[in-house]
Amino acid sequence: MKKFKKYIIIIILFVIVMIGILIFFIFRYDRIHLLNRTRDLLGYIYTIDEGKYNFKYGILDNGNITKTDYYIDGTGKVEKDKYGNVRFYIKSKEYCIYKTFLGNINIQKGECSEFKDLEASLNKNNTTISFEFKYPVSEYLISNRDDFKGEWKDISNNNLILNYYEEGIHYIWFKDTDGNISVPIKFTVECLNTTKSDFNKNIFYCNGSTVYIDKEEWIIIDNSFDKITMMKYLPISEKLAHCSGENSSFCNKNDKYKWSNSYINYYLNNVYIKNFSLKDDLLEYDICDDIDNKNCDGEYCGGYTKEEISSNNWSCNKYTKSKIRIINYYEYSLIVNKFKDISLFKGNYWMSDISNDNGYSLTSSGDVYIYENYNNKLDVRPIITIKK
């Protein structure tokens, strides 16, 4: 008997649920049917010009109207932008059917309102670019061309402040959660070309600009959104060698030359760094310390950073860490064409080759490197990278 009552209760509950579902679909039928017909109509809307339209039941077939539910009975408006995005609304009976440029088709009861246009204003200070919005936005897109291509990125709390370090003209679009998009905003990023100004890590300096740190002049060799790399404009006062003498503990015969065993490395990262006011802001680099490794484009890898080795698909098995370093040939070849005065690099030590206890240095012409004995004292221009 108990089992029988249990089955009766289950059946009653099932019937109630089915009636609820049926009532839901009865009341939602017009809406669902309208939504399906609009989806069918969407392909046609993409083929027509923008403007105001009357949408009616039926299709024109050899001058005759064939009754069908393919079209919708209503009036509406279609707009297209230059990227091919389409938005529209159709007023049909008590419903408004609408689609934003990037949104899905939606149906709501009531009258259709005009399209919503997102508005944004721009403020720029060097590379700091901020925006103010009339309506809440959720994402933004940046491209170097007016092509509406790229990856959408989230905006938190309707607030966007960018530190943009890519020179040239750029375009930015905004959209909200409904798929409304703004017209493109065009902005230009320009680096600051300066000489002998006090260093400010928030400024986007042009390569070749010079700045003062601790009353010493440095030349900018690379600047990006999260770090800035520079080389001392003049060599340090003391000429240095990788080895400090034939009988020195640096580069002795029992311990072949490598960056971790270089007197220049020791001096820069233990003596010179002590009086450097921004030492806590310096990025620490992994520098290849792999003896006899010749996997860097057929040359020895000594002195190359881990970042350079990884980007070139080279290999190094052992690294040593340094905050202050010296330039290597790969780095020099990337930046030398950006500077008019090649003499800036004259006499600077490189450290790519360990064969026969010889390294590289720059000749007076600036575009040729030669072998140098590791005991030769040469000019040293430290390289530093400061995190932003």
Side-chain angles (χ1 to χ4, degrees), residues 98 100-104 106 116 138 175-180:
Y98 68 93
T100 56
F101 277 130
L102 301 180
N104 297 320
N106 289 296
K116 180 180 178 181
S138 58
K175 75 173 179 178
D176 62 15
T177 53
D178 292 325
N180 296 297

Side-chain angles (χ1 to χ4, degrees), residues 16-119:
I16 292 172
V17 170
M18 294 304 296
I19 291 173
I21 294 173
L22 181 62
I23 292 172
F24 173 81
F25 276 102
I26 289 174
F27 281 98
R28 300 278 295 185
Y29 173 78
D30 284 345
R31 192 185 185 113
I32 295 170
H33 191 46
L34 200 56
L35 181 61
N36 290 333
R37 280 185 284 163
T38 308
R39 287 172 177 162
D40 291 335
L41 182 61
L42 185 60
Y44 170 73
I45 291 178
Y46 271 88
T47 67
I48 62 178
D49 296 329
E50 63 177 15
K52 293 184 177 180
Y53 289 88
N54 292 319
F55 299 91
K56 298 293 182 181
Y57 286 112
I59 5 180
L60 192 63
D61 180 18
N62 297 325
N64 299 316
I65 296 294
T66 303
K67 290 183 179 180
T68 177
D69 284 344
Y70 186 78
Y71 282 166
I72 296 168
D73 188 11
T75 59
K77 185 177 181 181
V78 176
E79 284 190 0
K80 296 183 179 183
D81 65 16
K82 58 184 177 181
Y83 314 109
N85 298 311
V86 172
R87 64 182 178 180
F88 65 84
Y89 64 78
I90 303 171
K91 180 66 178 76
S92 177
K93 295 182 181 179
E94 71 268 28
Y95 291 105
C96 177
I97 310 148
Y98 68 93
K99 176 188 177 296
T100 56
F101 277 130
L102 301 180
N104 297 320
I105 297 172
N106 289 296
I107 296 177
Q108 63 185 24
K109 274 200 170 187
E111 295 293 325
C112 294
S113 57
E114 281 296 317
F115 297 121
K116 180 180 178 181
D117 292 316
L118 300 183
E119 297 180 19

Side-chain angles (χ1 to χ4, degrees), residues 232 234-240 267-268 272 379-382:
K232 195 172 181 301
L234 296 175
I236 60 178
S237 57
E238 182 182 353
K239 290 183 181 289
L240 300 174
Y267 182 88
L268 294 178
Y272 181 79
D379 291 332
V380 173
R381 290 178 171 86

Side-chain angles (χ1 to χ4, degrees), residues 125-190:
N125 181 12
N126 190 235
T127 57
T128 302
I129 304 163
S130 60
F131 300 89
E132 295 179 356
F133 309 104
K134 183 177 179 180
Y135 302 107
V137 296
S138 58
E139 295 178 81
Y140 72 96
L141 168 73
I142 291 182
S143 176
N144 295 336
R145 297 180 180 180
D146 189 6
D147 55 6
F148 198 63
K149 293 181 179 179
E151 179 184 353
W152 288 97
K153 298 181 180 179
D154 292 335
I155 295 176
S156 60
N157 300 322
N158 201 46
N159 182 42
L160 182 64
I161 299 176
L162 297 173
N163 286 308
Y164 211 72
Y165 292 90
E166 187 176 343
E167 284 189 88
I169 297 173
H170 310 282
Y171 298 84
I172 187 166
W173 296 261
F174 299 98
K175 75 173 179 178
D176 62 15
T177 53
D178 292 325
N180 296 297
I181 61 173
S182 67
V183 296
I185 297 177
K186 179 181 176 182
F187 66 94
T188 303
V189 174
E190 298 170 332

